[in-house]
Amino acid sequence: MCFKTLPVEFDERGNAVLRGGIPNPYDVTVAKPDVDLSEEERRERIESLVARNGHIKDLNMDPVTRIAGALAVHVTADLDKRAYLDSHAQATLFRGYEVILMGRDPRDAIFVASRACGVCGGVHAHAAAYAIEQAMGIAPPPLGTVVRNMTEAAEMGYDNPLHLYLLAGPDYSESVIRSSNPELWPLAERWSCPNEHIHGFKTMSDLMTALNPLTGALYREGLEFTRLSREMVVILTGKYPHPQNVVPGGVSTTVTLQTLNEYHSRLGKIFDYAQRMMAVWDDIPAFFYEADDRYQFVGYRPTTQIDPGYWDDPYAYDATYENCNEWGEKRWSTPGVVIDGELVTTRLTDINIGWEEFVEHSYYEESSTTRFAQDMLGNPLSPYHPWNKRTLPKPGGRDWKDKYTWACAPRWDRKVVEAGCYSRLLMTAMAQKIPDSDFITATGTSMRLLVPKGEVGEREVEWHAPARWNALERNRGRAYHYLFSQLVGLESLLEAYKLMKQGEKRVAALDPSALEKAIPQDERVSVGWWGAGRGWLTHHLVMDKGKITNYQICTPSTINASPRDPWGQPGPYEEAVMNTPIIEDVSDPSRFTSIDMLRAIRSFDPCMPCTTHVHTGEGEVVREVNTCSCGGD
Amino acid sequence: MADRSTRSPVRNPRTPAQELLDELGPVTQFHDTTHLGAFGMPSGAMTEDMLSSVATAGTPTRFGPLEKVHAFWFAGMSCDGCSVAVTGATLPSVESLLLGAHPGLPRVVLHHPVINMESGPYYLQPAEQAMAGRLDAPYVVILEGSIADEVVANASGGYWSSTGEEPWGPDGDLRPVTSTEWVARLAPNAAAMIAIGTCATWGGVPSAEGNPTGAMSLMDFLGKDYRSVLGVPVVNVPGCPPIGDNFTETVAAVLYFLQGFGPLPEFDELGRPAWLFGETVHRHCVRGAYYEEGQFAKDFGDPECLVEIGCWGPVVNCNIASRGAIMSVGGCMNAGGACIGCTMPGFPDKFTPFYKRPPGSMASTVVSRMVGSVIRPLRKFSNNNMNREVRWDRQHATPSAFSREKSEPSALAHVNHKFYDALRRSGDTSRNDADVWGKRQDEAPSGGSPRTRA
Ligand code: SF4
Ligand code: SF4
C-alpha cells in the first residue's frame, strides 16, 4: 500500500481504487499530509526571533551563479544561532515552449520540446518521443531503443562532470575555502587523501587547488571529459544539445560498425576517469565530515525521492501504458518512490496517479479540472494531475506569505519528494530488479559496480545509500551515477553489437509516410517517462484529431525548486537551505558569504531553463508555468 | 497579448528597445552593496581579479593594442544550449580566451552566470560600471535566447525574464531587472552586440507560432539603424544550437582584425559571418553524392540522401557538414539526421511538420533519379576497373580469397576498360618519346610491379 495521504487503495487484482465514502477525496482540506511546522508557526517563530535578535539578515541572492539558468534564493539568516530561518526559491525566467507545442502536429513535438532545455538537450527530445509513441501505439525496434540508451548514457557522461567540476566543484576549491572557511585550510594541508593512489593528490589542499575555477587541473579535466562524451553523443545524434536523430518510433541514426567503434573507443577512455572522479568525491565528504560534523546537515533532507526510471530494455519496452509496470521495472534504472527511507513502489502507474501539481503560492488562479477521472487502466486521477491541469496566471506582487513565485509545487501522495540522478542509484539499489549484468549489481542497500580495466586496473567499487542525504552525498552520488551511466552505455553497446551480428538494421518502427498515416484522429492521452541529468522527467500529452491539445512537462528542477504547497511544506531547495547550519566564519557578520546555502543549493544541480512552461486554453492566453519564478512584483 | 506587428520597427519609428527605455525611464543609481558585506562572494574576490595573475599577457603575445575586452553574456528566452555549445568549442576554446592563452588575442573577461564565482548583486557590478561608463576596457554584449517583449509583460505588472535586482523601482526600491532591459541599456556604448543562436539572431522557437511572450531577435529589438560604438551592426551567429566553434571563431576573427593582423571579417546581408554561412549545408554534405546519383533513404537510418525523409539541406545556410558539431565530430546528416533548418530565420515554422519531404525537392529528385540511373552504372563500371591492380589485369586473376565469388570481367568489360584507359591516358606525357636514360631499360613498365619470373 503505497499511498498514505491520498485516499487510494488497491483491490485484490492490484488495481487502484478510491476509498469509498469520502466526499471530495482530492480536496486539499480532505487529504492532508502530516506537517511538522505550519507556515504560520514558522513565520511567528521568525518574527519573534527578529524582534529579539539584531543578527538576523534578510537577503535575496539574485542571480545565483554556477547553476544552469536563472534562479534567485531569498534567505532569512540568523548569524547568531548560525541558522537559515527561512528560504524561498524563485526562478526568474519564463518562456513559452508548451504553448508553442499546443495546436501543432505531433511530429513537431520532438524537435520543439528539445528546445525546452539546452543543458541536457537530448532528454526532452527523448521524453517527447516516448509520449508520442505511447499515444500513437508505436514501439521502436530493439536497435532503436539501444541507440537511445547509448545516447542517453553518453549524455550523462557530459552532464555529471559538468556539474561536479564547473558548477559545484569551485565551492570546495582552494579559492573558496581560504576565503570562506579559513579554519579548514590548515587542516586540508595536513590531511592526506586516502585515495591518493587513484586520483594522485597527496593532501586535501592539493585536491582543493585542483578544483579552482578555470586554472585547476580537475576543473579543466572535467571540461575535457564533457567534450569527449559529447563527441559520443554527436556520433549518434549529429549534434548537441539538440539531437537531430530522434523520431517517433525510434531513431534515424545510420548505425554501422564504424559508428559503434567510434563510440566504443571513446567510452574506453572514460573508465579510468570515472575511477578518479569517484575517488575525489569520496575524499571530499570524508574530509568535511572529519573537519566538522555539522557538514552532515548542509543541504540535508529526509530520504524522500522519486524517479521514473531510465534506459529501457529493448525487448520489453512496447510503448504501451497498459504494460508500463512490466517494462518499467525492466529499465536499467528502476522506477521508484522512496518515502522516509522506505521504497514504497516501483510501479509507473503508482508514480503517475500519485502525481499532482499545486499553485497556492504561485502567480495563478486555481484551475484544476476533472477532465480525466481515471487513467487508461481505470486508476483514479486527481484533478491536480498534469492531464487535468489548466493553469491560469495572475501576475502580482511578491509576498512570501502568499504568492511569491511563478513556480508550482509538484507533490507525490502530497509529500515533498526530491529528484536527482543519484535517485537512480537509490531506487535501483533498493528495488534489486535491475537486469542481469556483469558490471552492475544491486544489493538492496548499495550498488556494486565493476570498472573495466583501462590503463588503471579493473576494480569493483560500491556505492552505499547514505544514512543522511546532504550536499556532499548528492555530489558523491553524482560521481557514482557517472560510472553507472557509462556502464549502461557499455551494456547497450554490447547489445548493439549483438543485434548487428544478428543482421538487425531497423532503427525505427515506421518510415515517414507510414508515420504520417499512423497519426490517430481520436483523443489520446499519454505520458513519456524519462530522465534528465538531474533525474525525473515527464512529458504528459493529450492529442485529439491528430493535433496536440495539451502538453505538460515536469522536470527535476521543477520538483526541486518548488515553493510551499497548500499545507505549507517547503520545496526541496527551501527545505534543504532551512536545514543547513551556517558553518562559515561569521565572527564578523559582514564576512557572511552564504557559502553553506550555496553548497546546499548547488548540490541539487539546479537547471532552470526547462522548469518554465506555459500553455493556452481556448481563445484566451492561459499560461502554465511550472517553476518559472520571477524574483518580485 | 499585445499585437506584435504594430510594434515592428518598420511601422513604428521607435524601436522596441527605445520603447522599453522610454517606458522605464532613465536610471542613475545602482545597487548599494555596503550592507551586503561578503554576501555572494565566497571566494572573496571577483572572478576577473582571481584570474588576473594568469590571464595577463604582454604586447608580443597579444600581437596588437587591445589588452582586455569585457564580454557580458545575457540570456533571454533561452535554453542555455548556446552556452553549452560554447563550452564545447576548441577553435579557440573558451578557457583559452578567458585565460589569455590564445596568442594574438586580448584577455577576454567573460561575465557569464555559469562561470562566475560571485553571485547576487556583485555579479552585476561590472554591468553597472559599463552602464556608468566606468569600466576599464571596451565591452561586447552577447545575447543568447530571444528578447522577450517586456513592454507586454510590464503592462500587466510582471515580466518574463530577469537577471538581478537594481534600485530602479519607485522611491529607489529594488526591482527585478529583465535581461531585455540590460541589453537595451548596454547596447549604445557596446563595442559590439553579438547574437548567438537562432533564438537571439532571428527569434527561433520562442517566437514560433503561438508564442505568448512576443519573443523577437536582437536585430528586431535594436532596429535596423543600430550601430555599436565601433560602427558595427548586430553580429549574428545562428544555429539551434549553434556550433560552439562558429561562435568562438567569429569572436576571434573580429579580435584578430582589431589587433591589426587579421583581415576584415566579412559579414553577409543578415550579419552572419560570411565565411561560415555562405554556403548551403548540402554542398558539403557527406550524403551529397547519393542525391546526385538519385538514391534516397526510404526508412529512418538508411545510409542514402535524407531529402525524402525530410532534409532541407539544399536550401539551408549551415556549415555543420564540414565543421562537425563538436571537436570536428558529428554533423546532422553525418549521423543520419535530416536538416530541419535550425540556423535559418524561417526556423521552425517554415520547416514544419518535420519528417516530411520538402515540396521543393520534387523536381530535383526526379531529375537526379533520371541522371543517376545513367551515371550510376557507368560509375560502377569504372569503379570495378579501379578495384583491379594493373598486374591482376595482366594475369586475369585477383589474388584475394575474398574475391572467390567475384567473377573476372567479361570480355566486353575488358575491352571497355582498355578503351577507358586509353581515354584516360590521352595527353599523358609519359608516352612522349624522350629517352629515359637514367635507368636500365628492361625494368618493369611504370605502374606495375616487377615482371613475374615465369
Ligand atoms: S542529406 Fe540533405 S544535405 Fe545531404 S545530400 Fe541529402 S538533401 Fe543534401
Ligand atoms: S544541418 Fe540543418 S539542422 Fe543541422 S545544424 Fe545545420 S541547419 Fe541545423
Side-chain angles (χ1 to χ4, degrees), chain B residues 61-101:
Chain B
T61 305
R62 293 187 261 110
F63 306 176
L66 270 179
E67 209 171 302
K68 174 161 105 173
V69 176
H70 287 269
F72 292 102
W73 186 292
F74 284 98
M77 310 270 97
S78 119
C79 73
D80 275 23
C82 300
S83 294
V84 165
V86 170
T87 63
T90 49
L91 303 170
S93 70
V94 66
E95 63 271 25
S96 69
L97 296 179
L98 266 55
L99 294 174

mmCIF file of all heavy atoms in Angstrom, chain B residues 61-101:
data_model
loop_
_atom_site.group_PDB
_atom_site.id
_atom_site.type_symbol
_atom_site.label_atom_id
_atom_site.label_comp_id
_atom_site.label_asym_id
_atom_site.label_seq_id
_atom_site.Cartn_x
_atom_site.Cartn_y
_atom_site.Cartn_z
ATOM 1 N N THR B 61 52.672 38.868 -27.076
ATOM 2 C CA THR B 61 51.747 37.734 -27.131
ATOM 3 C C THR B 61 50.415 38.146 -27.715
ATOM 4 O O THR B 61 49.731 37.359 -28.350
ATOM 5 C CB THR B 61 51.532 37.162 -25.722
ATOM 6 O OG1 THR B 61 52.791 36.847 -25.180
ATOM 7 C CG2 THR B 61 50.676 35.915 -25.748
ATOM 8 N N ARG B 62 50.058 39.395 -27.490
ATOM 9 C CA ARG B 62 48.750 39.843 -27.959
ATOM 10 C C ARG B 62 48.787 40.281 -29.409
ATOM 11 O O ARG B 62 47.745 40.442 -30.038
ATOM 12 C CB ARG B 62 48.258 41.010 -27.094
ATOM 13 C CG ARG B 62 47.939 40.636 -25.673
ATOM 14 C CD ARG B 62 47.307 41.777 -24.943
ATOM 15 N NE ARG B 62 48.247 42.515 -24.116
ATOM 16 C CZ ARG B 62 48.667 43.755 -24.365
ATOM 17 N NH1 ARG B 62 48.230 44.401 -25.434
ATOM 18 N NH2 ARG B 62 49.525 44.354 -23.559
ATOM 19 N N PHE B 63 49.952 40.493 -29.964
ATOM 20 C CA PHE B 63 50.160 40.932 -31.356
ATOM 21 C C PHE B 63 49.541 42.296 -31.639
ATOM 22 O O PHE B 63 49.499 42.705 -32.791
ATOM 23 C CB PHE B 63 49.565 39.981 -32.397
ATOM 24 C CG PHE B 63 49.976 38.532 -32.341
ATOM 25 C CD1 PHE B 63 49.401 37.613 -33.214
ATOM 26 C CD2 PHE B 63 50.941 38.063 -31.462
ATOM 27 C CE1 PHE B 63 49.749 36.274 -33.188
ATOM 28 C CE2 PHE B 63 51.297 36.723 -31.428
ATOM 29 C CZ PHE B 63 50.696 35.825 -32.286
ATOM 30 N N GLY B 64 48.960 42.954 -30.662
ATOM 31 C CA GLY B 64 48.262 44.196 -31.004
ATOM 32 C C GLY B 64 47.921 45.018 -29.792
ATOM 33 O O GLY B 64 48.267 44.664 -28.661
ATOM 34 N N PRO B 65 47.187 46.096 -30.005
ATOM 35 C CA PRO B 65 46.979 47.080 -28.950
ATOM 36 C C PRO B 65 45.990 46.665 -27.860
ATOM 37 O O PRO B 65 46.099 47.103 -26.724
ATOM 38 C CB PRO B 65 46.429 48.302 -29.704
ATOM 39 C CG PRO B 65 45.799 47.742 -30.937
ATOM 40 C CD PRO B 65 46.587 46.525 -31.289
ATOM 41 N N LEU B 66 44.993 45.841 -28.188
ATOM 42 C CA LEU B 66 43.955 45.548 -27.198
ATOM 43 C C LEU B 66 44.489 44.641 -26.116
ATOM 44 O O LEU B 66 45.057 43.587 -26.388
ATOM 45 C CB LEU B 66 42.776 44.842 -27.875
ATOM 46 C CG LEU B 66 41.657 45.694 -28.441
ATOM 47 C CD1 LEU B 66 40.626 44.793 -29.089
ATOM 48 C CD2 LEU B 66 41.008 46.532 -27.353
ATOM 49 N N GLU B 67 44.281 45.074 -24.873
ATOM 50 C CA GLU B 67 44.809 44.316 -23.754
ATOM 51 C C GLU B 67 43.728 43.415 -23.161
ATOM 52 O O GLU B 67 43.971 42.303 -22.753
ATOM 53 C CB GLU B 67 45.231 45.320 -22.698
ATOM 54 C CG GLU B 67 46.351 44.867 -21.827
ATOM 55 C CD GLU B 67 46.819 46.037 -20.969
ATOM 56 O OE1 GLU B 67 47.210 47.086 -21.554
ATOM 57 O OE2 GLU B 67 46.728 45.924 -19.748
ATOM 58 N N LYS B 68 42.519 43.953 -23.137
ATOM 59 C CA LYS B 68 41.448 43.282 -22.409
ATOM 60 C C LYS B 68 40.109 43.709 -22.990
ATOM 61 O O LYS B 68 39.936 44.868 -23.378
ATOM 62 C CB LYS B 68 41.561 43.728 -20.947
ATOM 63 C CG LYS B 68 40.490 43.272 -20.029
ATOM 64 C CD LYS B 68 40.958 43.371 -18.591
ATOM 65 C CE LYS B 68 40.317 44.550 -17.910
ATOM 66 N NZ LYS B 68 40.592 44.615 -16.478
ATOM 67 N N VAL B 69 39.194 42.765 -23.048
ATOM 68 C CA VAL B 69 37.839 43.067 -23.511
ATOM 69 C C VAL B 69 36.868 42.414 -22.537
ATOM 70 O O VAL B 69 37.066 41.257 -22.144
ATOM 71 C CB VAL B 69 37.586 42.478 -24.926
ATOM 72 C CG1 VAL B 69 36.156 42.722 -25.351
ATOM 73 C CG2 VAL B 69 38.537 43.066 -25.937
ATOM 74 N N HIS B 70 35.844 43.156 -22.119
ATOM 75 C CA HIS B 70 34.802 42.544 -21.294
ATOM 76 C C HIS B 70 33.716 41.981 -22.200
ATOM 77 O O HIS B 70 33.374 42.591 -23.217
ATOM 78 C CB HIS B 70 34.153 43.585 -20.368
ATOM 79 C CG HIS B 70 35.036 43.991 -19.245
ATOM 80 N ND1 HIS B 70 35.026 43.353 -18.035
ATOM 81 C CD2 HIS B 70 35.970 44.974 -19.150
ATOM 82 C CE1 HIS B 70 35.914 43.922 -17.232
ATOM 83 N NE2 HIS B 70 36.505 44.914 -17.884
ATOM 84 N N ALA B 71 33.187 40.843 -21.820
ATOM 85 C CA ALA B 71 32.071 40.265 -22.576
ATOM 86 C C ALA B 71 30.941 39.969 -21.594
ATOM 87 O O ALA B 71 31.106 39.165 -20.675
ATOM 88 C CB ALA B 71 32.522 38.994 -23.279
ATOM 89 N N PHE B 72 29.837 40.655 -21.754
ATOM 90 C CA PHE B 72 28.670 40.416 -20.897
ATOM 91 C C PHE B 72 27.741 39.443 -21.604
ATOM 92 O O PHE B 72 27.272 39.720 -22.697
ATOM 93 C CB PHE B 72 27.919 41.722 -20.613
ATOM 94 C CG PHE B 72 28.702 42.665 -19.761
ATOM 95 C CD1 PHE B 72 29.354 43.754 -20.328
ATOM 96 C CD2 PHE B 72 28.796 42.443 -18.396
ATOM 97 C CE1 PHE B 72 30.090 44.614 -19.534
ATOM 98 C CE2 PHE B 72 29.538 43.304 -17.599
ATOM 99 C CZ PHE B 72 30.185 44.397 -18.170
ATOM 100 N N TRP B 73 27.494 38.341 -20.961
ATOM 101 C CA TRP B 73 26.636 37.314 -21.554
ATOM 102 C C TRP B 73 25.270 37.400 -20.882
ATOM 103 O O TRP B 73 25.180 37.255 -19.662
ATOM 104 C CB TRP B 73 27.262 35.943 -21.332
ATOM 105 C CG TRP B 73 26.556 34.815 -22.010
ATOM 106 C CD1 TRP B 73 25.321 34.327 -21.708
ATOM 107 C CD2 TRP B 73 27.041 34.024 -23.108
ATOM 108 N NE1 TRP B 73 25.005 33.287 -22.542
ATOM 109 C CE2 TRP B 73 26.041 33.081 -23.417
ATOM 110 C CE3 TRP B 73 28.222 34.023 -23.861
ATOM 111 C CZ2 TRP B 73 26.190 32.140 -24.428
ATOM 112 C CZ3 TRP B 73 28.363 33.087 -24.874
ATOM 113 C CH2 TRP B 73 27.359 32.157 -25.160
ATOM 114 N N PHE B 74 24.228 37.651 -21.664
ATOM 115 C CA PHE B 74 22.871 37.665 -21.102
ATOM 116 C C PHE B 74 22.026 36.594 -21.764
ATOM 117 O O PHE B 74 22.194 36.302 -22.950
ATOM 118 C CB PHE B 74 22.211 39.035 -21.292
ATOM 119 C CG PHE B 74 22.735 40.060 -20.336
ATOM 120 C CD1 PHE B 74 23.727 40.954 -20.727
ATOM 121 C CD2 PHE B 74 22.263 40.119 -19.031
ATOM 122 C CE1 PHE B 74 24.236 41.887 -19.834
ATOM 123 C CE2 PHE B 74 22.773 41.046 -18.135
ATOM 124 C CZ PHE B 74 23.759 41.939 -18.533
ATOM 125 N N ALA B 75 21.131 36.031 -20.974
ATOM 126 C CA ALA B 75 20.219 35.022 -21.507
ATOM 127 C C ALA B 75 18.807 35.600 -21.509
ATOM 128 O O ALA B 75 18.322 36.086 -20.488
ATOM 129 C CB ALA B 75 20.270 33.761 -20.650
ATOM 130 N N GLY B 76 18.181 35.578 -22.674
ATOM 131 C CA GLY B 76 16.781 35.979 -22.761
ATOM 132 C C GLY B 76 15.920 34.730 -22.686
ATOM 133 O O GLY B 76 16.068 33.913 -21.782
ATOM 134 N N MET B 77 15.043 34.567 -23.667
ATOM 135 C CA MET B 77 14.219 33.347 -23.728
ATOM 136 C C MET B 77 15.114 32.249 -24.257
ATOM 137 O O MET B 77 15.139 31.984 -25.458
ATOM 138 C CB MET B 77 13.068 33.541 -24.712
ATOM 139 C CG MET B 77 12.262 34.792 -24.513
ATOM 140 S SD MET B 77 10.914 34.494 -23.394
ATOM 141 C CE MET B 77 11.625 35.093 -21.893
ATOM 142 N N SER B 78 15.872 31.645 -23.359
ATOM 143 C CA SER B 78 16.922 30.749 -23.831
ATOM 144 C C SER B 78 16.879 29.426 -23.109
ATOM 145 O O SER B 78 16.371 29.330 -21.998
ATOM 146 C CB SER B 78 18.276 31.418 -23.611
ATOM 147 O OG SER B 78 19.070 30.659 -22.750
ATOM 148 N N CYS B 79 17.426 28.404 -23.757
ATOM 149 C CA CYS B 79 17.503 27.086 -23.139
ATOM 150 C C CYS B 79 18.890 26.833 -22.582
ATOM 151 O O CYS B 79 19.174 25.738 -22.101
ATOM 152 C CB CYS B 79 17.126 26.008 -24.132
ATOM 153 S SG CYS B 79 18.380 25.691 -25.384
ATOM 154 N N ASP B 80 19.788 27.817 -22.679
ATOM 155 C CA ASP B 80 21.189 27.676 -22.271
ATOM 156 C C ASP B 80 21.998 26.772 -23.194
ATOM 157 O O ASP B 80 23.159 26.488 -22.929
ATOM 158 C CB ASP B 80 21.332 27.176 -20.820
ATOM 159 C CG ASP B 80 21.252 28.329 -19.819
ATOM 160 O OD1 ASP B 80 20.670 29.377 -20.175
ATOM 161 O OD2 ASP B 80 21.763 28.192 -18.696
ATOM 162 N N GLY B 81 21.384 26.321 -24.282
ATOM 163 C CA GLY B 81 22.095 25.437 -25.209
ATOM 164 C C GLY B 81 23.256 26.134 -25.901
ATOM 165 O O GLY B 81 24.249 25.494 -26.249
ATOM 166 N N CYS B 82 23.150 27.449 -26.088
ATOM 167 C CA CYS B 82 24.256 28.173 -26.722
ATOM 168 C C CYS B 82 25.460 28.200 -25.784
ATOM 169 O O CYS B 82 26.598 28.011 -26.213
ATOM 170 C CB CYS B 82 23.834 29.594 -27.079
ATOM 171 S SG CYS B 82 22.448 29.665 -28.217
ATOM 172 N N SER B 83 25.189 28.434 -24.501
ATOM 173 C CA SER B 83 26.288 28.403 -23.523
ATOM 174 C C SER B 83 26.946 27.032 -23.540
ATOM 175 O O SER B 83 28.166 26.913 -23.532
ATOM 176 C CB SER B 83 25.759 28.655 -22.107
ATOM 177 O OG SER B 83 25.253 29.954 -21.992
ATOM 178 N N VAL B 84 26.112 26.004 -23.561
ATOM 179 C CA VAL B 84 26.645 24.654 -23.564
ATOM 180 C C VAL B 84 27.480 24.417 -24.826
ATOM 181 O O VAL B 84 28.578 23.869 -24.768
ATOM 182 C CB VAL B 84 25.494 23.632 -23.441
ATOM 183 C CG1 VAL B 84 25.944 22.234 -23.795
ATOM 184 C CG2 VAL B 84 24.943 23.664 -22.024
ATOM 185 N N ALA B 85 26.975 24.891 -25.954
ATOM 186 C CA ALA B 85 27.718 24.709 -27.204
ATOM 187 C C ALA B 85 29.073 25.406 -27.128
ATOM 188 O O ALA B 85 30.092 24.861 -27.575
ATOM 189 C CB ALA B 85 26.899 25.248 -28.376
ATOM 190 N N VAL B 86 29.097 26.596 -26.533
ATOM 191 C CA VAL B 86 30.356 27.337 -26.466
ATOM 192 C C VAL B 86 31.360 26.650 -25.536
ATOM 193 O O VAL B 86 32.560 26.660 -25.789
ATOM 194 C CB VAL B 86 30.091 28.807 -26.070
ATOM 195 C CG1 VAL B 86 31.379 29.539 -25.752
ATOM 196 C CG2 VAL B 86 29.355 29.515 -27.204
ATOM 197 N N THR B 87 30.873 25.989 -24.487
ATOM 198 C CA THR B 87 31.816 25.252 -23.637
ATOM 199 C C THR B 87 32.434 24.074 -24.386
ATOM 200 O O THR B 87 33.445 23.533 -23.952
ATOM 201 C CB THR B 87 31.167 24.687 -22.349
ATOM 202 O OG1 THR B 87 30.156 23.745 -22.735
ATOM 203 C CG2 THR B 87 30.558 25.764 -21.494
ATOM 204 N N GLY B 88 31.835 23.709 -25.494
ATOM 205 C CA GLY B 88 32.415 22.618 -26.284
ATOM 206 C C GLY B 88 33.429 23.109 -27.302
ATOM 207 O O GLY B 88 34.163 22.312 -27.892
ATOM 208 N N ALA B 89 33.479 24.420 -27.539
ATOM 209 C CA ALA B 89 34.345 24.956 -28.602
ATOM 210 C C ALA B 89 35.819 24.761 -28.265
ATOM 211 O O ALA B 89 36.213 24.824 -27.099
ATOM 212 C CB ALA B 89 34.052 26.440 -28.792
ATOM 213 N N THR B 90 36.600 24.534 -29.303
ATOM 214 C CA THR B 90 38.053 24.453 -29.105
ATOM 215 C C THR B 90 38.805 25.241 -30.174
ATOM 216 O O THR B 90 40.023 25.171 -30.242
ATOM 217 C CB THR B 90 38.528 22.989 -29.151
ATOM 218 O OG1 THR B 90 37.985 22.353 -30.304
ATOM 219 C CG2 THR B 90 38.109 22.237 -27.906
ATOM 220 N N LEU B 91 38.076 25.988 -31.019
ATOM 221 C CA LEU B 91 38.746 26.671 -32.144
ATOM 222 C C LEU B 91 38.504 28.181 -32.119
ATOM 223 O O LEU B 91 37.914 28.694 -33.073
ATOM 224 C CB LEU B 91 38.226 26.094 -33.482
ATOM 225 C CG LEU B 91 38.389 24.594 -33.686
ATOM 226 C CD1 LEU B 91 37.627 24.128 -34.901
ATOM 227 C CD2 LEU B 91 39.862 24.239 -33.819
ATOM 228 N N PRO B 92 38.917 28.942 -31.178
ATOM 229 C CA PRO B 92 39.620 28.545 -29.954
ATOM 230 C C PRO B 92 38.642 28.164 -28.855
ATOM 231 O O PRO B 92 37.447 28.374 -28.998
ATOM 232 C CB PRO B 92 40.376 29.823 -29.578
ATOM 233 C CG PRO B 92 39.543 30.937 -30.127
ATOM 234 C CD PRO B 92 38.851 30.401 -31.338
ATOM 235 N N SER B 93 39.176 27.665 -27.748
ATOM 236 C CA SER B 93 38.317 27.261 -26.640
ATOM 237 C C SER B 93 38.015 28.461 -25.758
ATOM 238 O O SER B 93 38.767 29.443 -25.737
ATOM 239 C CB SER B 93 39.005 26.189 -25.795
ATOM 240 O OG SER B 93 40.080 26.768 -25.084
ATOM 241 N N VAL B 94 36.928 28.352 -25.040
ATOM 242 C CA VAL B 94 36.527 29.461 -24.182
ATOM 243 C C VAL B 94 37.530 29.635 -23.044
ATOM 244 O O VAL B 94 37.853 30.762 -22.652
ATOM 245 C CB VAL B 94 35.067 29.261 -23.706
ATOM 246 C CG1 VAL B 94 34.926 28.065 -22.813
ATOM 247 C CG2 VAL B 94 34.542 30.491 -23.026
ATOM 248 N N GLU B 95 38.114 28.527 -22.563
ATOM 249 C CA GLU B 95 39.071 28.693 -21.462
ATOM 250 C C GLU B 95 40.344 29.394 -21.938
ATOM 251 O O GLU B 95 40.952 30.164 -21.193
ATOM 252 C CB GLU B 95 39.370 27.361 -20.746
ATOM 253 C CG GLU B 95 40.031 26.258 -21.546
ATOM 254 C CD GLU B 95 39.036 25.344 -22.264
ATOM 255 O OE1 GLU B 95 37.914 25.805 -22.546
ATOM 256 O OE2 GLU B 95 39.386 24.191 -22.557
ATOM 257 N N SER B 96 40.728 29.180 -23.216
ATOM 258 C CA SER B 96 41.922 29.882 -23.678
ATOM 259 C C SER B 96 41.646 31.382 -23.817
ATOM 260 O O SER B 96 42.524 32.207 -23.577
ATOM 261 C CB SER B 96 42.439 29.281 -24.987
ATOM 262 O OG SER B 96 41.551 29.562 -26.038
ATOM 263 N N LEU B 97 40.412 31.751 -24.173
ATOM 264 C CA LEU B 97 40.076 33.170 -24.251
ATOM 265 C C LEU B 97 40.110 33.805 -22.864
ATOM 266 O O LEU B 97 40.631 34.896 -22.668
ATOM 267 C CB LEU B 97 38.677 33.368 -24.847
ATOM 268 C CG LEU B 97 38.465 32.921 -26.291
ATOM 269 C CD1 LEU B 97 37.026 33.154 -26.714
ATOM 270 C CD2 LEU B 97 39.401 33.662 -27.228
ATOM 271 N N LEU B 98 39.550 33.080 -21.900
ATOM 272 C CA LEU B 98 39.455 33.638 -20.546
ATOM 273 C C LEU B 98 40.814 33.726 -19.858
ATOM 274 O O LEU B 98 41.033 34.583 -19.007
ATOM 275 C CB LEU B 98 38.518 32.779 -19.697
ATOM 276 C CG LEU B 98 37.068 33.250 -19.660
ATOM 277 C CD1 LEU B 98 36.484 33.384 -21.040
ATOM 278 C CD2 LEU B 98 36.234 32.302 -18.837
ATOM 279 N N LEU B 99 41.688 32.812 -20.213
ATOM 280 C CA LEU B 99 42.997 32.803 -19.565
ATOM 281 C C LEU B 99 44.024 33.576 -20.382
ATOM 282 O O LEU B 99 45.216 33.536 -20.087
ATOM 283 C CB LEU B 99 43.458 31.358 -19.340
ATOM 284 C CG LEU B 99 42.607 30.554 -18.352
ATOM 285 C CD1 LEU B 99 43.047 29.100 -18.308
ATOM 286 C CD2 LEU B 99 42.681 31.164 -16.955
ATOM 287 N N GLY B 100 43.574 34.262 -21.436
ATOM 288 C CA GLY B 100 44.521 34.995 -22.282
ATOM 289 C C GLY B 100 45.549 34.061 -22.877
ATOM 290 O O GLY B 100 46.705 34.428 -23.062
ATOM 291 N N ALA B 101 45.128 32.839 -23.169
ATOM 292 C CA ALA B 101 46.087 31.810 -23.572
ATOM 293 C C ALA B 101 46.048 31.524 -25.065
ATOM 294 O O ALA B 101 46.524 30.495 -25.514
ATOM 295 C CB ALA B 101 45.822 30.525 -22.794
#
